[in-house]
Amino acid sequence: MAAHLKKRVYEEFTKVVQQQQEEVATKKLRLTKPSKSAALHVDLCKAACPADALQYLLQFARKPVEAESVEGVVRILLEHYYKETDPSVRLKIASLLGLLSKTAGFSPDCIIDDAINILQNEKSHQVLAQLLDTLLAIGTKLAENQAIQTRLVDVACKHLTDTSHGVRNKCLQLLGNLGSLEKSVTKDTEGLTARDVQKIIGDYFSDQDPRVRTAAIKAMLQLHERGLKLHQTVYNQACKLLSDDYEQVRSAAVQLIWVVSQLYPESIVPIPSSNEEIRLVDDAFGKICHMVSDGSWVVRVQAAKLLGSMEQVSSHFLEQTLDKKLMSDLRRKRTAHERAKELYSSGEFSSGRKWGDDAPKEEVDTGAVNLIESGACGAFVHGLEDEMYEVRIAAVEALCMLAQSSPAFAEKCLDFLVDMFNDEIEEVRLQSIHTMRKISNNITLREDQLDTVLAVLEDSSRDIREALHELLCCTNVSTKEGIHLALVELLKNLTKYPTDRDSIWKCLKFLGSRHPTLVLPLVPELLSTHPFFDTAEPDMDDPAYIAVLVLIFNAAKTCPTMPALFSDHTFRHYAYLRDSLSHLVPALRLPGRKLVSSALSPNIAPHEDPSQQFLQQSLERVYSLQHLDPQGAQELLEFTIRDLQRLGELQSELAGVADFSATYLRCQLLLIKALQEKLWNVAAPLYLKQSDLASAAAKQIMEETYKMEFMYSGVENKQVVIIHHMRLQAKALQLIVTARTTRGVDPLFGMCEKFLQEVDFFQRCFIADLPQLQDSFVDKLLDLMPRLMTSKPAEVVKILQTMLRQSAFLHLPLPEQIHKASATIIEPAGESDNPLRFTSGLVVALDVDATLEHVQDPQNTVKVQVLYPDGQAQMIHPKPADFRNPGPGRHRLITQVYLSHTAWTEPCQVEVRLLLAYSSTARIPKSPWIEGGEGPPQVDTSIEGAIPFSKPVKVYIMPKPARR
Amino acid sequence: MPEIRVTPLGAGQDVGRSCILVSIAGKNVMLDCGMHMGFNDDRRFPDFSYITQNGRLTDFLDCVIISHFHLDHCGALPYFSEMVGYDGPIYMTHPTQAICPILLEDYRKIAVDKKGEANFFTSQMIKDCMKKVVAVHLHQTVQVDDELEIKAYYAGHVLGAAMFQIKVGSESVVYTGDYNMTPDRHLGAAWVDKCRPSLLISESTYATTIRDSKRCRERDFLKKVHETVERGGKVLIPVFALGRAQELCILLETFWERMNLKVPIYFSTGLTEKANHYYKLFITWTNQKIRKTFVQRNMFEFKHIKAFDRAFADNPGPMVVFATPGMLHAGQSLQIFRKWAGNEKNMVIMPGYCVQGTVGHKILSGQRKLEMEGRQVLEVKMQVEYMSFSAHADAKGIMQLVGQAEPDSVLLVHGEAKKMEFLRQKIEQEFRVSCYMPANGETVTLPTSPSIPVGISLGLLKREMAQGLLPEAKKLRLLHGTLIMKDSSFRLVSSEQALKELGLAEHQLRFTCRVHLQDTRKEQEMALRVYSHLKSTLQGHCVQHLPDGSVTVESILIQAAAHSEDPGTKVLLVSWTYQDEELGSFLTALLKKGLPQTPS
C-alpha cells in the first residue's frame, strides 16, 4: 500500500487519455438461443411473492449473460424495479444492474438515466446505497465521459446529506472515484455547481458516524491515488482525526497524514503552544511516531509500517526514535546500550556487572522532562517491544528502510536490531537478521555486538542459523579478536550442527576475503604452526580444519605475504582443496608454483571473450552442415557437441548456453543418424527389429526438446519455435517408423490425422514466426498441406520421408541469458547404512532438503519423486511454504516426504529425485486467435510430463510387518 | 451537587495494604483489601472501623473488588469478610479467584504456624471468604445492582490482574490496581479503551522512572546464565513463588529450546508447582505467543524444567535452580546458597529487590564474608549478579494509560509521596486534568457534572431538522423548546404543546427597536439601501423588500421612517418576536454600525 501510494506521489500529475482502438467489426455466426431476457421476464411475472422473485433473481445471477443481451435484461429488470414494492427485491435488482453494467463489451451509458431516475424516487436507504454502488460501477466503466462524471458527482453530492451512513459512505466512495481531477473550479452562472470535491469530502471528516469518517478519508486517499494533488489544509484536518475514538478512522488518518507529508515535505507548520515552526514532514513523523503507542494494534502496525518510508525526515528527529530518555528517581540514567559501549571503549570487556552499576547519574530538571508529547521520542523502542509480533515485524522493517537511507541511523539502530535476535517469535528473529544483512554495508560491528550476534549461532532453527551465516558473509568486523571470535563460534556451530557444513564454509570464504589484514596476524595460531617445532599434520577430512583453511586461503588471495606463513602440508592441502572445493578456494599465487598460477590467475579477465568467441565459431561451423555429406555432418556434430560440453564445464558463465546448444545439436545428430539407417531402403517387413534405433531416436529427441523448452530459464519465443519445430520433426519420424513397422492401414489413419492436427496447431501458434523458418521442414510441409489433407496415409508417409531428408537444418539463435535449472539434494545424503524402519501400512516422514537453481516458479513446477524397488513411482507435490528464496535465482526446498509400503523381508533402497513438471501449452504465446475464440482461454494447469533434474538419492528403508 | 468521594485506607502515598473506598452516585465500593508487609501489628490491615464503628459492613458497602492476587491487594480479605464481617459480593477475575486462596493459606501458615500469632484468620475462614467471591471475565459488564455496573480490563502485571471500571449512570471510575504497559515473556500489556471515566485511580510505583528496553535485560540474563553453565558452574536464582518466577522460567525454557541445551533446570517445589498448574489453565490470560502456540504445546508444560529435590544440590556438573524465597533470608534458597557460595564458578542472580538485613541485600551490596548463625563465617566466592525484572508501569506507561482512557481527573495511589508529586505535576501539565494524591484516611471530593437525559418530542425534533442541517454528534446546537419536569422525568416539547398541556394561553412578545441613521435621502431610497446591504451581508437568510417599502428578514420587520424633528436623520424601526431574539439583536447591532457608503 505504502509503496503504491508513494509511487503516486512521485508521479507527475498529468492525465493520460488512452484512445480506444476502434474494434474491427467482425462478422460472427451465432446460434440463436432462447432469449435470456424473455425467460427472466416470464419468471419475474410468475413470481407471486417477493421471496419467489428474489429466488428467481438469485438463480439468474448465477449464470453469465452475453454482452448483446445485457441491454434487454436491464430493461426487464428496470421495468420490474418500478413495479416492485419489496425493498429486498429492489436491492437485488439494483445489485444486478451493477453487475450487468460491468459486463465486457456492454456500454452502460444507456441505463444511466434510468438509474439516476430511480435513485430520486427511492426511499429505502439500503437500496439507495446499492444504487449508488451501481452508479459507481457505471461511472468507472465510463471513465472517459466527462459529462456523465459530473452528473454522477452531482447525484452523489445531493445524497451526501442522507441520514443513513451507508448512503453517505457510497456517496463519498463515488466522489473519491469519480470526482473531477481538475483543481480549478468552474463557476457556473447559477453558483450551484461549484464542486470542489476535496472540500466536500473534507467536510465529512467530522461526520458523526465513524464509518462515514473512514469513508471520507479513504475517498481522499482515492483522489490522491487518481492523481489529484491534495491541499495542504487536509493535513490539519487529518491531524485532528488522529485522536478519533475509532481505530479504523485513526488508521486511515495515519495514511492520509503520510500522504500529505510526502506531498509537502518542506512546508513549514507551527508547533502548537509555542512559536516555533518545523518542517511538515518532521511534524508528521512525530505524529505518526506517537501513533506507534496507540491503543489499537491495527493502528500501531499501520504507523510502524509507514515510518519506514519517510526518508526526508531530519536526522535528529530520526535519532530520537531510538532514545527513550531513561531516568530513575528523576535522575538521568544511561541505557544498557550506552553502558555497553562505554565499557567497550574503556578497554574493559565483559566484566561482571555489579549491583548499582546502572545507578543513575545526574539529576534531571523536572520541568524539562516531557513525558508524553515528546513526539518521535522512543517510537521504535516502543514498537520493538510491542505485545503483538505484527507490530514488531513492521517496526523492524521500518528500521531497515530508514537505516538503508541513513548510515548514521544505521549505526545507531544496530543495538536494537541485535536485541531483536532474542525475540520470542522466530519470524521476528529471522526478519531482524535479514534486516541487519541488508544494512550491513553501512555498519561495522563492535566486538560486544558481534558477541551477541554470534550467540544466536547456536539456535536450533536452521533458518535462523543460515540467515546468520548470510549476515556474517557481508558484515564488517573491526578487530582481529572479532574474526577469531567469529571463527570459534562458527566452529562450535559446526560441531553442534554438522549439516551446516556448506553454509559455514561459504560464510568463512566471504569473511576471509573481506578481512585479509585481520586474518593475517591470526594465521600462525589458526594453523597452529610453531617457529621451531613441526606440528602434527591435521586431518584433511576434518570439516573444521577445512573451514579454517577456507578462511585463510580466501584472505591470502589479497594478502600476498600470507603464504609465507604456511607450512608444507598447508600447500599440499591447498592443492587438494583447490581441486575438490574449487568454488570455495580461490586461485592463489603461491611462491613454489609460479608456473601454474601464472597460467591461471592473471588471465581470468580477458579469458571470457575467447571462450565466447569459441562458442560462436563452433556453432557457426555447424551451420554449414547442410553442405556436407552425412558422414561428415555426423562427425562435425559429434565434435562440436563434445567441445561445447567441455566448454560448459570449464566456463560456468557459459554453461547454460553451451548445454542448450549442445542439446539442440544432439537432437539434430540423432535425427541425421536415424535417417541414415538402412531400414528406409529395404522392404518394410524385413526391418522390424532394426527399427528400434530410429524409434528410440525419435523418442529421445522428444525428450530432449522438452528439456530444452522447460529446463532453461530465459528461453525466448524464437527459441521455442525452433524447439517445437524439432519436436515436429521427431513426431514425423515417429510416424514414418510406425508406418514402416506396422501392418494394416487402420491405425495409421488416426496417427496421420493427429500429426496433421499438430502441424495445424504449430502453424496457428507460430504464425508470426513462420517467415523465419524459410526452407525448413515445416515450410515445405505447409506448402504441401492441401495435398496431404486429401491423400492416403501411405502417401503422406512417403511425402514426409522425403521432406525430412530434404529439409534444412535450422539455425538456433542464442538467447541473451540462459541458465539451466539444476537441483541438488543435500538431504537425505544417501550414505546411511541404517535402514529407516517403520511399520508397513503406516507412513514414515523423510526430510528432504534441496537447493534449486534457476527454477522459475518452483512452487508449481518442482515435484519430488519416490521410486520404489518394485518400480512403483510416487509423485509428491511439496507445499508452497516449503520453498524458501535465499537469493535471486536460488530456491531452497525443505520438505517432508511421506513414504509407505507393504512389508518387505529385507531393507531395500528407494530412489528420491526431484522432477520439473511442465505442460506444453503453458509456454505457447497467446495468439489473438486463441483469445478471440468462443470460450475464455483455458488455463491449463494440468501436468503433461516431468523431467528429472537432480541426481537421484538412494534411501535405505525397511517396512516391517505389523505386529499382531 | 453530585460528587465522587475517594478515601484511601491504605496505599495512599504509600506502597502496601491497598484499600481504597469510593463513593460514586450514592454507591460505595471498596477497591482491594490488602495487607502491609512491613508491619506485624494492627497496622498490617486497613482500618475498617473508618467505614463503620459498629454494625455489619455489608450495609455500608455495595461491593468489594480485588484487582489481583498479590497479598498487598488481597491479604486482608478473610479478616475483612469473616472477622469484621462482610457478606456482600466480592468481585475478582477467575485466575485471581483460583490462586488467591493458595497465597492466603501460605500467608496464614507463616503467620500462625511459624510466628505463632493468635487471633488470626483460619483456613475455614479463607474458604468461607472465597465462597462470597463472584468471578468476572475480561470485558464482561457485571451488573452489581440496578445502577452499579463493573467491567474488567486486562492489566498485565501478574496472571489474572485486572483493571476495573465502576460505573453508575454516566459517572465512572477506573481503578488500575497494579499494571504493566510493556508486555513480558508470559503476559501481555495492559489495555483500556477510551472509556473517558470521571476519575482514573492509578498506581504510581515507578512515577519517576523511565525504564530501559526489557530486551537488554533479558539478553544479559540469558548470556550470564549460559556462560556460567558452559563453564560448568551452577546458577542459583532466588525467586518468589509467583509472577516473576514464571516469566524467568519461560525465558530460560525457550532459550534452552532454541539453543538445544541439555543442562538441567530445577525449580523448588511447593507453591510454584500449584501455581504453574493454574498458569497452564488460564492460557487466555497470557501473551500472544503463548496463546498462539498452546495448541501445539502449552508453554507452561516445561520440557527442560524439573522439580527440585534437596539431594540434587550436591550433584556434580552444571545446573540452574530456581528456589524460594527471593531475598535469600530463609528456606531452600538460602540452603542452596550456602552449599554453592564457595565455588567461584557458580553464580547467584537476584532478579528483584532485597530488603535491608537479608542475605540477599548483603551480598548485593558487595559483602563477601557473611556471618551465619552459629558464628560460622561463609565466604562468598560465587559471582553475584543483579537483574531487575519488574512488572509495574513506568512513568511513560502511566502517561500512556492516562492518554488511552482520557479521564476527567486522575488520582494517584500506591507510590511514594515525593515521586507522586512529580507525576502529578506532569499529568496536570500534559493532559490539563486535575490530579490528586490523597494520603491514607484523607478524602478527596470531586464534583462531577453528570449528564441528564431529556426526552424530546418527535414533532419538535423533526421541525428542528427541517429548519437546519443535520444534527451533529459533537457540536452543540441551539434549540427552542420548553422543558417540562414532571414526576422526575424530563421532557423537551415545543412551546405550543407545552401551553396546550398546561392549559395556558399564548402571549405574543415583540421587541421593537429604533436605529437612528444619519441620512438625507428619502425613506424609499433608504429602505432600498438597507435591503441591498442586508441582502449582501445575510446570505443565508431570506431578505425581502415588500411593496409597502418595508424590508423583512425572515420574520423580522424593518421600516424606514423620517425623523420627526431632524430631517437629516432617518429612523429604522426594527421589530421582532421573542422567538427571533437572536437574529433580531444581531440585526440591530448590524444596523447600528451604519450602512456602507454606496457610490452615489
Side-chain angles (χ1 to χ4, degrees), chain A residues 74 478 586:
Chain A
V74 165
S478 49

Side-chain angles (χ1 to χ4, degrees), chain B residues 136-147:
Chain B
V136 298
H137 293 284
L138 277 185
H139 303 176
Q140 174 197 11
T141 307
V142 178
Q143 219 62 50
V144 177
D145 57 31
D146 288 346
E147 288 160 358

Side-chain angles (χ1 to χ4, degrees), chain A residues 709-713 821-823 852-865 875-880 883 891 893 913-920 922-923 940-950:
Chain A
E709 192 177 349
F710 298 104
M711 257 178 67
Y712 292 87
S713 65
S822 63
L852 318 171
E853 291 202 38
H854 304 298
V855 180
Q856 288 162 329
D857 190 20
Q859 278 91 337
N860 291 329
T861 53
V862 175
K863 314 285 167 202
V864 184
Q865 192 187 36
M875 183 127 73
I876 293 126
H877 308 256
K879 289 187 297 252
F883 292 93
H891 285 91
L893 170 67
R913 67 169 87 179
L914 296 182
L915 301 182
L916 201 63
Y918 63 83
S919 67
S920 55
R923 266 297 170 97
D940 194 8
T941 48
S942 63
I943 297 162
E944 199 177 281
I947 316 163
F949 75 126
S950 78

Side-chain angles (χ1 to χ4, degrees), chain B residues 232-511:
Chain B
K234 297 176 169 67
V235 182
L236 172 67
I237 308 170
V239 286
F240 287 104
L242 286 169
R244 287 322 93 202
Q246 276 71 28
E247 185 188 351
L248 294 179
C249 280
I250 289 262
L251 196 58
L252 275 191
E253 165 86 9
T254 41
F255 187 72
W256 249 239
E257 183 103 14
R258 264 180 57 200
M259 297 304 186
N260 237 336
L261 297 177
K262 294 284 179 277
V263 176
I265 309 175
Y266 300 109
F267 68 90
S268 61
T269 46
L271 264 185
T272 324
E273 210 169 9
K274 251 188 214 164
N276 263 346
H277 178 65
Y278 288 113
Y279 273 85
K280 265 182 243 172
L281 219 59
F282 292 108
I283 277 298
T284 45
W285 287 81
T286 53
N287 71 4
Q288 188 194 21
K289 157 93 176 167
I290 300 176
R291 265 184 287 138
K292 288 220 164 139
T293 54
F294 94 99
V295 182
Q296 286 95 40
R297 187 164 92 85
N298 195 325
M299 293 270 279
F300 290 104
E301 263 160 35
F302 299 124
K303 232 188 237 168
H304 301 272
I305 304 180
K306 299 165 200 100
F308 184 69
D309 188 275
R310 192 162 297 195
F312 292 166
D314 295 323
N315 284 1
M319 66 172 89
V320 181
V321 174
F322 290 96
T324 51
M327 297 188 195
L328 279 184
H329 51 274
Q332 206 161 37
S333 59
L334 189 61
Q335 282 175 9
I336 300 170
F337 175 73
R338 286 164 80 169
K339 270 187 190 155
W340 292 357
N343 193 340
E344 63 272 4
K345 275 204 289 189
N346 297 345
M347 178 186 279
V348 58
I349 297 180
M350 310 295 297
Y353 177 73
C354 289
V355 174
Q356 209 156 18
T358 56
V359 175
H361 186 263
K362 279 179 198 155
I363 57 169
L364 277 181
S365 46
Q367 223 170 307
R368 298 311 263 178
K369 284 200 173 139
L370 300 172
E371 271 188 49
M372 310 307 280
E373 58 261 42
R375 300 239 175 127
Q376 276 177 300
V377 175
L378 182 67
E379 201 173 343
V380 182
K381 284 187 186 156
M382 77 199 297
Q383 295 175 52
V384 179
E385 293 289 344
Y386 174 72
M387 293 273 151
S388 146
F389 283 87
S390 169
H392 289 273
D394 63 357
K396 257 198 144 163
I398 297 170
M399 297 299 270
Q400 203 182 331
L401 188 88
V402 175
Q404 264 182 27
E406 294 192 3
D408 296 335
S409 48
V410 180
L411 189 144
L412 299 177
V413 293
H414 202 282
E416 292 163 37
K418 215 178 76 197
K419 296 180 180 176
M420 276 185 183
E421 181 57 37
F422 163 78
L423 191 66
R424 191 179 68 85
Q425 279 176 11
K426 284 292 147 198
I427 290 175
E428 291 190 339
Q429 201 179 316
E430 309 275 357
F431 295 105
R432 306 192 188 286
V433 297
S434 47
C435 183
Y436 310 89
M437 34 176 283
N440 283 339
E442 191 183 325
T443 304
V444 169
T445 312
L446 347 143
T448 55
S449 46
S451 51
I452 300 161
V454 174
I456 184 166
S457 78
L458 194 64
L460 182 62
L461 191 68
K462 281 195 171 158
R463 203 171 67 186
E464 278 301 317
M465 268 178 52
Q467 266 178 24
L469 286 165
L470 287 168
E472 282 183 54
K474 286 174 189 165
K475 278 187 192 156
L476 296 178
R477 187 76 191 280
L478 203 64
L479 186 86
H480 289 282
T482 314
L483 186 70
I484 301 181
M485 289 159 67
K486 207 172 165 186
D487 315 329
S488 80
S489 76
F490 298 85
R491 279 189 306 133
L492 192 67
V493 295
S494 62
S495 41
E496 298 86 37
Q497 202 188 336
L499 288 169
K500 214 164 76 189
E501 273 182 38
L502 298 171
L504 295 174
E506 192 181 2
H507 295 272
Q508 272 273 343
L509 197 61
R510 213 172 168 85
F511 299 97

Side-chain angles (χ1 to χ4, degrees), chain A residues 245 327 369 419 460 496, chain B residues 196 210 219 258-259 426:
Chain A
D245 282 10
M327 61 174 191
V369 182
D419 279 351
S460 58
K496 202 160 173 182
Chain B
R196 300 202 171 84
I210 299 178
R219 198 190 62 208
R258 264 180 57 200
M259 297 304 186
K426 284 292 147 198

Side-chain angles (χ1 to χ4, degrees), chain B residues 6-20:
Chain B
V6 182
T7 314
L9 293 184
Q13 305 185 354
D14 184 20
V15 178
R17 193 176 74 168
S18 284
C19 185
I20 298 140

